[in-house]
Amino acid sequence: MKRLAVSASLAVLLFASAPALAQTAPVVPPTPQTIPAAVDRAWPGVIHLDVDATDLNRRIYRVRETIPVEGPGPLTLFFPQWLPGEHGPTGPINQLGGLIFTANGQRVEWVRDALQPWAFHVVVPAGATELVAEFQHLSPTTGAQGRITMTGEMLNIQWEKMLLYPAGRYHRNITMQASVTLPEGWKYGTALRPAGAATGDTTTFQPVPLDVLVDSPMFAGEHYRQIDLDPGGRSPVMLNIVADAESHIAPTDDQIGILRSMVQQADRLFGARHYDHYDFLVAMTDRIGGIGLEHHRSSENSVDPAFFTEWESQLGDRDLLSHEYTHSWDGKYRRPAGQDVANYNVPLQNELLWVYEGQTQFWGKVLAARSGLHSRQQALDALALDAATYDNTVGREWRAMQDTVNDPIITQRRPIGWRSWQRSEDYYVEGQLIWLDADTLIRERTNGRKSLDDFARAFFGLNDGAYDEAPYSFETVVETLNGVVEYDWATFLRTRLDGHGPGAPLDGLTRGGYRLVYTDTMSDYQKTLYGNYGRNDFTYSLGIVTGADNTIGSVLWNSPAFQQELAVGMQIIAVNGEAASAANLRAAITAAKGTDEKIELIVRDNSHYRTVVFDYHEGLKYPHLERIEGTPDRLGDLYTARRR
């Protein structure tokens, strides 16, 4: 190592400065340091959270947080880890940068907890009444880094990703007051309400408990429009739209009428509202990261920019708003006891997600049909796709549906290679099938006098106007079902949750007056949906789905493709000696039906090529629901709009 000469005068200066440097050496908290257990007692004062969201080019949110303290000594601050609605420990601590604490104008050093890296330990100096934290939330600049929350046209502020809070308290006992500075001229939507007039481009919101702040995200943008979805209603319901371009915000009167009908049908279903106002936050974008996330008095939703302007082709987003709106009742007002935790660093218990998400999936689809977001035929065709998917989920042989409630923790929604075998959050759609089974069973046993609508009113429709959480258990669900119609509901549910098949719980289809069948033609719904997604479906013939470039996107376990050792990521180069295309592959499968002809593919796996020969002769297969003659059309009634 090269040594540097030090002049005598400089040496004297350094020596003379040594005592002063020693006196200002940082006070580093001891480690390990105990994290205090949460107690049900108020944190003193109001924490002020100021967010500057104007650094659009670099996608950086700059945060200043002023935290009142109880006195000198050790203090632990949490960055939220277990995020509501995400059902797992997904708080993006890696996106926090530049953290510096000060008190009395002096820097206060911090140490991260060795066992809980979402916790920061500090020592508050004597005489300090508040601690100031300054840091940045570094929004991803590409999708590979995480979900993008800021572009040149819009942003999505999720407060839990840009705050710290004191450990040792319930989140409801910590009062927060947030303010945000937006780019000039931007407008916003949020369930928070301003404390007064904005100061320039800075808006300060009314103080709220921490859990309410976290439950009240913001969408803001250059292109913004607000639409009243319940004119003259008992509590405001607003649609707040931000878009990549002003031309995208072009709903027709008919489309607005459908969204208003959705709100009306939810009222008729649940019989109560558990909010004083509700704000749909909708981003019409292909630039900001996709989202569908529930909150008690709002929801975050991203849809295709052409959601309104190309309405007929945008089937994939149609039931997103009805799903997230349902969560105001199911998941927020009524929430599983294991989700009613003290704060955001206490692990969530997910055992009842088949109610929280599964029944929401059910009602989201029903409300979409009853309001006109989906036609009745589209609702039936969508149900056929769901039924076929889960009837062919062979992973149930080793893994019960109940166990999939752990997936948000195990996989944290990262892609997997063998979904039909590994399973992935099946409590959503298979949960929907279980609740369809329950609905049609109630209808059958009461000769159509009652249905799951009666359960919804009894379970979610109590205490109109109240929006404090009402936790429940498995026993609460069973008791409420028995209040609708006496039955062994505990066994009914546990058999379907813990069973291994074979096949999905499809009794709701047959009892509803339909059977699952396969034909060689896609339904109009599937053709439009998959066309919009760029998918080519050969799941129930060869066992694959391909994309626009003929890359394999999924392989059904134990299918002909699986037996030929195909896997996700491989690319089909040729079909029977011709350049690969979805049309060529469909033609080859059709030509081989009922004959001895083979289907020959050339497949590329990275730099390796091989020929794969299928001895398959059953033709194309696509799922449909077929009416069972002479039976009540209970599904038809389920999807019919309610008049009162």
Side-chain angles (χ1 to χ4, degrees):
M1 183 176 74
K2 183 178 180 180
R3 295 181 180 273
L4 298 177
V6 180
S7 70
S9 59
L10 180 58
V12 170
L13 178 61
L14 290 173
F15 179 77
S17 302
L21 290 173
Q23 290 174 4
T24 59
V27 178
V28 179
T31 185
Q33 184 171 321
T34 302
I35 298 176
V39 295
D40 195 1
R41 188 173 73 247
W43 186 259
V46 176
I47 296 176
H48 292 271
L49 179 69
D50 304 314
V51 177
D52 184 327
T54 60
D55 194 348
L56 300 181
N57 290 333
R58 291 177 294 198
R59 317 296 198 244
I60 296 173
Y61 297 87
R62 302 184 188 278
V63 181
R64 178 183 173 90
E65 187 172 7
T66 306
I67 306 167
V69 296
E70 294 182 297
L75 173 65
T76 300
L77 295 164
F78 275 139
F79 183 90
Q81 178 185 12
W82 291 80
L83 302 186
E86 296 189 14
H87 312 311
T90 57
I93 188 71
N94 61 307
Q95 294 173 8
L96 181 149
L99 177 61
I100 295 177
F101 292 106
T102 58
N104 294 333
Q106 299 296 315
R107 182 164 176 165
V108 177
E109 295 297 328
W110 56 267
V111 170
R112 192 188 302 266
D113 192 271
L115 299 179
Q116 167 50 291
W118 281 262
F120 298 88
H121 300 297
V122 300
V123 175
V124 178
T129 59
E130 62 185 28
L131 188 69
V132 176
E134 294 185 274
F135 55 93
Q136 303 86 43
H137 169 63
L138 305 170
S139 171
T141 56
T142 71
Q145 301 166 16
R147 178 176 170 265
I148 294 171
T149 60
M150 180 186 281
T151 71
E153 298 77 31
M154 69 177 67
L155 57 81
N156 178 198
I157 289 180
Q158 298 173 306
W159 306 103
E160 69 275 12
K161 296 177 181 177
M162 48 193 76
L163 63 78
L164 301 170
Y165 69 94
R169 294 293 192 276
Y170 286 22
H171 44 37
R172 66 171 181 262
N173 290 331
I174 300 171
T175 302
M176 307 281 298
Q177 184 166 30
S179 73
V180 61
T181 302
L182 296 171
E184 183 178 359
W186 281 30
K187 296 180 180 179
Y188 66 85
T190 178
L192 297 176
R193 292 300 181 250
T199 303
D201 296 310
T202 299
T203 301
T204 300
F205 296 100
Q206 297 172 7
V208 293
L210 172 60
D211 58 326
V212 174
L213 178 67
V214 167
D215 201 42
S216 306
M218 170 188 288
F219 274 9
E222 178 182 9
H223 311 293
Y224 171 88
R225 181 179 173 187
Q226 185 180 76
I227 298 171
D228 190 346
L229 293 186
D230 190 27
R234 52 184 168 152
S235 47
V237 181
M238 297 294 178
L239 177 68
N240 301 271
I241 307 172
V242 291
D244 293 336
E246 190 70 29
S247 59
H248 296 152
I249 309 178
T252 65
D253 290 344
D254 286 346
Q255 291 162 354
I256 294 172
I258 288 171
L259 295 175
R260 287 175 173 167
S261 176
M262 176 190 66
V263 173
Q264 183 182 73
Q265 288 298 316
D267 282 342
R268 292 173 180 174
L269 171 63
F270 297 117
R273 288 184 179 180
H274 300 295
Y275 53 78
D276 54 350
H277 58 270
Y278 190 93
D279 285 88
F280 288 98
L281 311 178
V282 178
M284 304 184 64
T285 180
D286 53 15
R287 300 171 190 171
I288 210 168
I291 193 169
L293 189 60
E294 67 272 11
H295 303 283
H296 202 148
R297 293 186 288 180
S298 64
S299 58
E300 297 168 276
N301 312 271
S302 63
V303 299
D304 191 279
F307 182 72
F308 290 123
T309 57
E310 299 177 18
W311 178 259
E312 295 303 324
S313 68
Q314 299 301 312
L315 295 179
D317 292 331
R318 286 286 185 86
D319 63 323
L320 176 61
L321 298 186
S322 56
H323 178 103
E324 302 304 344
Y325 188 45
T326 296
H327 270 312
S328 182
W329 291 266
D330 186 1
K332 291 302 176 181
Y333 174 63
R334 296 308 305 263
R335 65 183 63 186
Q339 300 274 317
D340 189 34
V341 293
N343 61 45
Y344 302 113
N345 293 72
V346 175
L348 298 169
Q349 298 178 51
N350 290 344
E351 69 275 9
L352 291 173
L353 285 185
W354 49 273
V355 185
Y356 182 130
E357 294 289 5
Q359 195 171 142
T360 295
Q361 185 77 6
F362 174 83
W363 289 126
K365 297 285 189 180
V366 168
L367 288 176
R370 290 181 183 178
S371 64
L373 285 164
H374 282 153
S375 69
R376 171 175 159 170
Q377 189 58 51
Q378 288 169 340
L380 292 171
D381 291 341
L383 183 58
L385 288 175
D386 291 340
T389 297
Y390 288 90
D391 203 38
N392 288 275
T393 296
V394 294
R396 73 181 64 254
E397 294 175 11
W398 71 275
R399 190 180 186 200
M401 193 276 275
Q402 176 67 70
D403 186 61
T404 70
V405 301
N406 297 298
D407 285 338
I409 301 170
I410 296 169
T411 66
Q412 296 187 22
R413 296 180 171 171
R414 292 184 291 265
I416 56 177
W418 302 98
R419 181 164 184 162
S420 62
W421 184 244
Q422 292 170 272
R423 312 198 70 171
S424 178
E425 300 191 41
D426 290 355
Y427 53 84
Y428 275 91
V429 179
E430 191 164 324
Q432 169 197 349
L433 296 175
I434 290 173
W435 288 111
L436 176 64
D437 197 352
D439 174 79
T440 56
L441 180 62
I442 293 170
R443 292 172 187 273
E444 180 182 68
R445 293 181 68 84
T446 63
N447 292 320
R449 293 189 305 275
K450 293 184 177 181
S451 69
L452 205 65
D453 288 48
D454 296 278
F455 172 88
R457 189 169 288 261
F459 197 70
F460 303 113
L462 59 163
N463 299 327
D464 184 27
Y467 47 91
D468 290 336
E469 298 85 357
Y472 63 85
S473 65
F474 177 83
E475 289 72 23
T476 314
V477 176
V478 170
E479 180 182 351
T480 308
L481 284 167
N482 273 313
V484 176
V485 61
E486 285 288 340
Y487 193 69
D488 186 1
W489 290 109
T491 299
F492 172 93
L493 292 170
R494 292 265 53 104
T495 299
R496 289 155 180 77
L497 295 168
D498 303 328
H500 294 284
L506 299 186
D507 288 350
L509 296 184
T510 53
R511 201 183 292 113
Y514 293 79
R515 63 172 67 90
L516 177 65
V517 298
Y518 297 86
T519 74
D520 61 3
T521 304
M522 278 192 280
S523 65
D524 289 341
Y525 174 85
Q526 185 182 8
K527 189 180 300 181
T528 301
L529 182 71
Y530 279 35
N532 189 249
Y533 287 160
R535 295 178 188 167
N536 305 299
D537 186 19
F538 306 99
T539 302
Y540 307 111
S541 52
L542 299 187
I544 58 174
V545 174
T546 65
D549 64 349
N550 304 304
T551 296
I552 297 174
S554 71
V555 176
L556 187 65
W557 192 269
N558 283 342
S559 67
F562 180 87
Q563 300 301 330
Q564 292 293 333
E565 301 181 2
L566 298 185
V568 170
M570 296 179 183
Q571 186 180 30
I572 301 171
I573 302 300
V575 178
N576 288 346
E578 297 185 3
S581 69
N584 285 346
L585 187 51
R586 281 192 291 268
I589 294 171
T590 300
K593 182 178 181 181
T595 73
D596 295 329
E597 291 186 33
K598 303 294 193 297
I599 302 168
E600 183 178 283
L601 307 182
I602 297 176
V603 177
R604 183 175 69 186
D605 181 6
N606 294 318
S607 60
H608 301 284
Y609 294 79
R610 63 189 175 99
T611 299
V612 175
V613 179
F614 288 91
D615 192 12
Y616 173 81
H617 307 286
E618 297 178 25
L620 295 166
K621 293 182 180 180
Y622 300 105
H624 298 263
L625 294 186
E626 181 180 79
R627 216 31 205 105
I628 302 173
E629 294 294 332
T631 63
D633 186 1
R634 297 186 174 113
L635 293 189
D637 181 67
L638 174 66
Y639 293 141
T640 298
R642 297 308 186 241
R643 301 304 175 192
R644 59 179 179 84

